[in-house]
Amino acid sequence: MSDDVTSGWFDARIVTGAHPASLLPPTDRDAIAAHLDRYALSGALVSAMASWLHHPIGGNAEASAIAHSLADRGVLACWTAVPATSGELDSLTALVDRAVDDGVAAFRIHPASHGFSPALLDELYDALQTNRLPLCVDAAELSWPDLTTIATRFPELPIVVSNLGYRKLRELWAALVGHTNVFIDLVDFAAHQGVEWLAANDLADRLLFATGLGVRDPGESIVRLAWSGLDDATVRLVGSENARRLLHGVRA
Amino acid sequence: MIGRLPQHRIVDVHAHLGPYSLFFIPESDAATMVAVMDRTGTDVTVLAANRAIQQDAHLGNSQSLAAVDAYPDRIAAYAVINPWQEPERELERLAGDDRFVGIKVHPSLHRYPVTGARYAAVWEFAESTGCPVLSHSEHQSPYDAPRLFEAVAERYPGTSVVLGHAGITPAGVDEAIEAARRYDSLWLEVCGSQMTGPLIRAMVDQVGSGRVLFGSDFPFIDQRMSLGRVVCAPLTESQRQDVLSGNARKLFRWRPLPGERGVGQ
């Protein structure tokens, strides 16, 4: 085993902004830069807490501000979408076009938190698939049948499921073997030997390193991967290569 | 860069063994647990089999002992006492078998409060022998909310009780800290899905690093989740080592853990 493979990982989920009900490390621009330094990370994908918990579309500017400020550190923005609704959002296609122009690397949706059916976002899924931008979603935000529906109807759309916890392997197995466009990230992927179980079933190429800084303690994912039972090549695959394959703009 | 090899020596005081009906656990056997321990620098794990807490205390306790027999230098066992399943019988078994080093109770799963009469024999045994007790604790639970342990500590001041999960939620941690500040016999254990490094730091700041213990709940949850929070927490190295193993060595004095005799013995 080589210590070198624990540097250069790409953090596929950071959430910038204050969390109203947790005692977590800060996530402003300087804190994210310090996080990249402390764990020798090559970059990160950043979305906005404001987009989740306050103003879904308006919060995207906060994610982009962080990405632009830390562009030289490999930081990319992840925007949030809601259904096109008069007075809130005119067009999902136009939103994705603006995101592409801004260098955004992925989109996130919160159907449960934002009170809509995921079936209202077909225009988004189509635009993301066309532009090869992944869709990110927390496990608690989307039912497994809804995930299956999206993954089936948009087979070229990469879908990254986050915050799986430790109780979801039975459902996860069906989703992963049934859909090659379903991925997961390491944020609170807490099942005992879950990472090793994926690798043993030739599914390590579906797992992205991510800490969830802002919503989780980053030490969880850092130690989970570094002290895993994976060989060095697979650690590198999960740590950065899968993200490089999936996200535009992830540096070598 | 964290590297692939751990730098600390670890004792895990909160672990289980075997399957659990509500969800699939890959490789929940003792051999895999020891393999994980080898990767994380864990010298000793103290466990209570999932079968013992979930369904049958007697049969589950036998599974725990089988794991001890297979790995006597790495695994020690709690005897699970279920207040509904002949607690006196299991206490007698515990007393006569030094492969057990402590008691585990799970009031929330067994739906019986820590202050109830059916638990009295547990507290009396622990007070008379020095046997430590690990209990599940959960904020706002009618069975094991942290504040309920203040009544136990008041009535049985010589009983060392570990509040597993330290109340689980952030608000529960605050309540557990308050209880531990009032009673020196109460210890805090740090595993739980809502735990963070800053919350662990709050425990250490307010209770002192001498009564905060590392536990992980593995294989219920992967050991490295809880371990990562402690390894990366904003603690001094001295405080971190207390939490990761030093305090466990002090707590388990009745029957010392494998690898080292308890402090003072």
Side-chain angles (χ1 to χ4, degrees):
Chain A
M1 291 192 300
S2 167
D3 286 349
D4 291 344
V5 299
T6 63
S7 66
W9 295 346
F10 182 87
D11 189 341
R13 190 173 187 199
I14 287 178
V15 186
T16 185
H19 191 290
S22 288
L23 193 57
L24 289 159
T27 56
D28 59 14
R29 186 250 181 227
D30 290 347
I32 292 171
H35 171 74
L36 299 175
D37 289 340
R38 180 179 183 189
Y39 299 113
L41 303 175
S42 61
L45 181 67
V46 176
S47 58
M49 195 78 74
S51 283
W52 175 30
L53 297 176
H54 175 56
H55 189 325
I57 302 301
N60 290 331
E62 296 180 18
S64 281
I66 294 287
H68 294 154
S69 176
L70 292 172
D72 63 329
R73 305 295 308 277
V75 174
L76 306 168
C78 177
W79 277 13
T80 294
V82 292
T85 304
S86 179
E88 184 175 35
L89 181 68
D90 290 338
S91 161
L92 283 160
T93 302
L95 179 69
V96 173
D97 288 344
R98 285 202 304 277
V100 170
D101 290 343
D102 198 66
V104 168
F107 265 77
R108 178 167 289 280
I109 59 171
H110 298 273
S113 295
H114 294 162
F116 64 83
S117 164
L120 294 174
L121 291 179
D122 280 2
E123 184 184 342
L124 174 75
Y125 310 139
D126 189 48
L128 295 180
Q129 183 171 252
T130 299
N131 288 281
R132 300 179 57 79
L133 292 180
L135 175 73
C136 303
V137 62
D138 279 0
E141 296 281 353
L142 194 67
S143 71
W144 292 100
D146 281 338
L147 172 66
T148 297
T149 299
I150 300 168
T152 302
R153 293 191 59 212
F154 300 91
E156 301 302 317
L157 171 65
I159 305 170
V160 182
V161 183
S162 187
N163 263 305
L164 277 153
Y166 57 94
R167 295 176 177 239
K168 305 291 188 187
L169 294 190
R170 291 171 182 149
E171 295 278 13
L172 176 63
W173 176 255
L176 289 175
V177 299
H179 303 281
T180 57
N181 56 331
V182 172
F183 297 78
I184 65 172
D185 74 27
L186 201 51
V187 177
D188 194 28
F189 182 50
H192 167 72
Q193 291 285 93
V195 169
E196 293 77 6
W197 172 76
L198 286 177
N201 285 286
D202 296 323
L203 292 167
D205 59 347
R206 309 280 200 92
L207 177 61
L208 282 74
F209 170 75
T211 66
L213 177 69
V215 292
R216 300 294 308 182
D217 189 306
E220 296 171 347
S221 294
I222 294 287
V223 164
R224 182 67 192 85
L225 183 57
W227 298 350
S228 70
L230 305 182
D231 59 35
D232 285 352
T234 309
V235 168
R236 194 177 287 111
L237 181 74
V238 173
S240 59
E241 290 174 3
N242 288 336
R244 195 170 299 129
R245 199 175 68 249
L246 215 59
L247 297 163
H248 296 302
V250 176
R251 300 185 303 194
Chain B
M1 183 168 64
I2 190 165
R4 299 216 64 186
L5 297 174
Q7 303 298 314
H8 301 90
R9 303 316 304 173
I10 292 157
V11 174
D12 189 335
V13 305
H14 188 162
H16 298 286
L17 170 75
Y20 202 76
S21 64
L22 303 186
F23 50 91
F24 170 56
I25 304 174
E27 302 182 294
S28 60
D29 56 283
T32 301
M33 290 177 68
V34 171
V36 171
M37 292 161 62
D38 288 343
R39 296 188 191 287
T40 60
T42 304
D43 292 329
V44 179
T45 288
V46 192
L47 59 76
N50 277 328
R51 183 159 194 183
I53 61 168
Q54 194 183 26
Q55 185 243 333
D56 187 319
H58 187 75
L59 291 178
N61 287 335
S62 296
Q63 291 179 346
S64 298
L65 291 179
V68 175
D69 289 341
Y71 300 97
D73 297 331
R74 307 297 298 280
I75 291 176
Y78 289 110
V80 171
I81 308 297
N82 181 333
W84 304 109
Q85 293 181 341
E86 302 185 63
E88 291 80 10
R89 178 193 61 183
E90 289 306 300
L91 284 169
E92 283 181 22
R93 185 184 187 192
L94 158 70
D97 192 329
D98 60 12
R99 294 173 293 177
F100 289 117
V101 300
I103 293 170
K104 162 82 179 193
V105 295
H106 204 310
S108 280
L109 272 182
H110 300 152
R111 301 178 198 167
Y112 191 77
V114 292
T115 50
R118 290 175 179 272
Y119 275 128
V122 167
W123 310 126
E124 288 163 3
F125 178 87
E127 185 165 54
S128 66
T129 61
C131 171
V133 181
L134 168 65
S135 176
H136 180 85
S137 71
E138 186 169 336
H139 188 227
Q140 296 184 325
S141 164
Y143 307 114
D144 50 28
R147 61 180 170 75
L148 296 177
F149 290 91
E150 295 187 32
V152 174
E154 186 71 33
R155 186 161 181 187
Y156 305 96
T159 299
S160 295
V161 184
V162 180
L163 275 59
H165 313 296
I168 289 188
T169 67
V173 169
D174 275 5
E175 189 176 295
I177 287 171
E178 283 306 307
R181 288 181 62 169
R182 290 195 187 101
Y183 295 94
D184 291 345
S185 59
L186 301 182
W187 300 58
L188 304 179
E189 180 273 319
V190 301
C191 73
S193 293
Q194 299 179 53
M195 194 62 69
T196 66
L199 282 171
I200 295 167
R201 169 68 185 268
M203 293 183 211
V204 167
D205 283 348
Q206 296 179 57
V207 177
S209 66
R211 277 190 289 139
V212 181
L213 296 156
F214 172 70
S216 71
D217 230 359
F218 94 123
F220 205 82
I221 296 174
D222 196 275
Q223 190 197 38
R224 287 153 284 208
M225 303 297 285
S226 181
L227 183 57
R229 298 179 203 121
V230 178
V231 167
C232 298
L235 302 173
T236 67
E237 282 310 302
S238 172
Q239 291 168 334
R240 200 179 327 275
Q241 199 56 64
D242 282 350
V243 174
L244 287 174
S245 64
N247 295 335
R249 296 289 185 186
K250 287 191 296 184
L251 175 64
F252 287 89
R253 286 176 295 189
W254 175 54
R255 287 172 177 165
L257 300 174
E260 186 179 280
R261 295 186 64 79
V263 172
Q265 296 202 10

